[in-house]
Amino acid sequence: MTSGGDAPGMNAAIRSVVRTCAYYDRECVGIYRGYQGLIEADFITLGPRNVKNIINKGGTILKSARSKEFRTKEGREKAYNSLKKEGIDGLVVIGGDGSFTGGVVFNQEYNFPVIGIPGTIDNDIYGTTHTLGYDTALNTTIEAIDKIRDTASSHNRLFFVEVMGRDAGFIALNAGIGAGAEEILIPEEDLGLERMLESLKRSRRKGKLSSIVVVAEGEKTGKSIFELADYVETNMPDYEVRVSVLGHMQRGGSPSCFDRVLACRMGVKAVELLLEGKTNLMVGLINNEIEATDLEKAIKGHHEINRELLRVSDIMSI
Ligand code: F6P
């Protein structure tokens, strides 16, 4: 199943799970709409040919959802009954930490084997340096910011660009550096409004005519991106300021080669772990190897941003 916010590479992971099952002569059943489809027994038997031509597709052919019903005991009981009725022996959940939390609770209550594949553009999961979809989202984001740069520079304007990440600044920090942003605001670090203003003023004095500030959705100044823009416009009246919110376009599109290969590797490992009788694990990329991490650890642990990047960003905006 795919669950939570969709991410590019989820289809490639579905394909990998299905084909690995076929390789080991096991039947594979796809579950539509995450845990909600599990509760409603919305299943489809999937063979290798059912997943043709999807490695390059964004979104998820199995659809995704955030199920409120699965948070209740009754919902989980229905889900267990659906699984038993269908003769399913193990579950591969492709999703983020919310989806894994559901998997852990389900495993505790029913001792049902669950393996997680981290799929979210946010990259905010412990136990993997890269989640599925993150690399693609970065590429989509810098492509969009590059386009904004063209118009920003033509009009000598300052652009505030909001990128996704309500709790994590991975996209903002990396896409911000990759797209040459002047300032980057992330949830993990509140550097304060004054600092941003000073940096913009300093750059202006040094002859910069246009600038881009990348802001993660969940940044910590407590101001909306429009309030941030107003604040700068009030304090730098000679600067024309514009706002661009990139939004869900960052979640779509064909997955990058990196995400496709990662999805293939993770899918193989997830099925092999189930076949070895393992449960409550998440597959992840660590030092370029696919490793298993305890699912609870993956949820509770914190994937730290690389602070070196903050320093690099600072130096680049001189
Ligand atoms: O977790 C992925 C994510 O895209 C976040 O970056 C974003 O804050 C959130 O999902 C948006 O959720 P929804 O699609 O429910 O609006």
Side-chain angles (χ1 to χ4, degrees), residues 40-58:
E40 295 168 23
D42 196 359
F43 299 146
I44 179 172
T45 301
L46 293 173
R49 298 289 78 77
N50 297 117
V51 289
K52 67 179 180 198
N53 297 333
I54 65 167
I55 191 165
N56 55 333
K57 298 263 188 322

Side-chain angles (χ1 to χ4, degrees), residues 5 66 120-122 164-166 217 248 251:
R66 295 186 171 111
T120 162
I121 63 164
D122 291 347
M164 274 193 161
R166 65 185 149 203
E217 264 178 298
H248 286 76
R251 285 228 302 250

Side-chain angles (χ1 to χ4, degrees), residues 58-79:
T60 156
I61 58 160
L62 289 177
K63 315 262 179 188
S64 195
R66 295 186 171 111
S67 171
K68 282 200 183 118
E69 198 179 350
F70 193 75
R71 291 187 189 173
T72 66
K73 244 185 173 337
E74 297 72 35
R76 291 193 293 276
E77 194 182 342
K78 280 190 207 161

Side-chain angles (χ1 to χ4, degrees), residues 158-214:
L158 163 64
F159 263 84
F160 279 86
V161 182
E162 185 182 278
V163 302
M164 274 193 161
R166 65 185 149 203
D167 302 312
F170 289 94
I171 294 181
L173 193 50
N174 285 275
I177 292 176
E182 171 76 31
E183 281 290 309
I184 303 169
L185 306 185
I186 54 173
E188 291 85 347
E189 189 102 6
D190 180 6
L191 297 172
L193 286 180
E194 281 307 307
R195 187 191 165 282
M196 176 186 69
L197 193 62
E198 270 323 300
S199 156
L200 291 170
K201 283 184 174 167
R202 193 179 55 237
S203 299
R204 202 77 169 142
R205 280 197 302 274
K206 288 184 176 173
K208 260 193 201 177
L209 298 173
S210 68
S211 279
I212 289 164
V213 177
V214 170

Side-chain angles (χ1 to χ4, degrees), residues 262-280:
L262 185 62
C264 292
R265 295 175 76 188
M266 285 178 166
V268 168
K269 184 76 175 177
V271 173
E272 288 179 343
L273 286 171
L274 278 179
L275 292 177
E276 285 164 24
K278 304 265 173 56
T279 181
N280 255 8

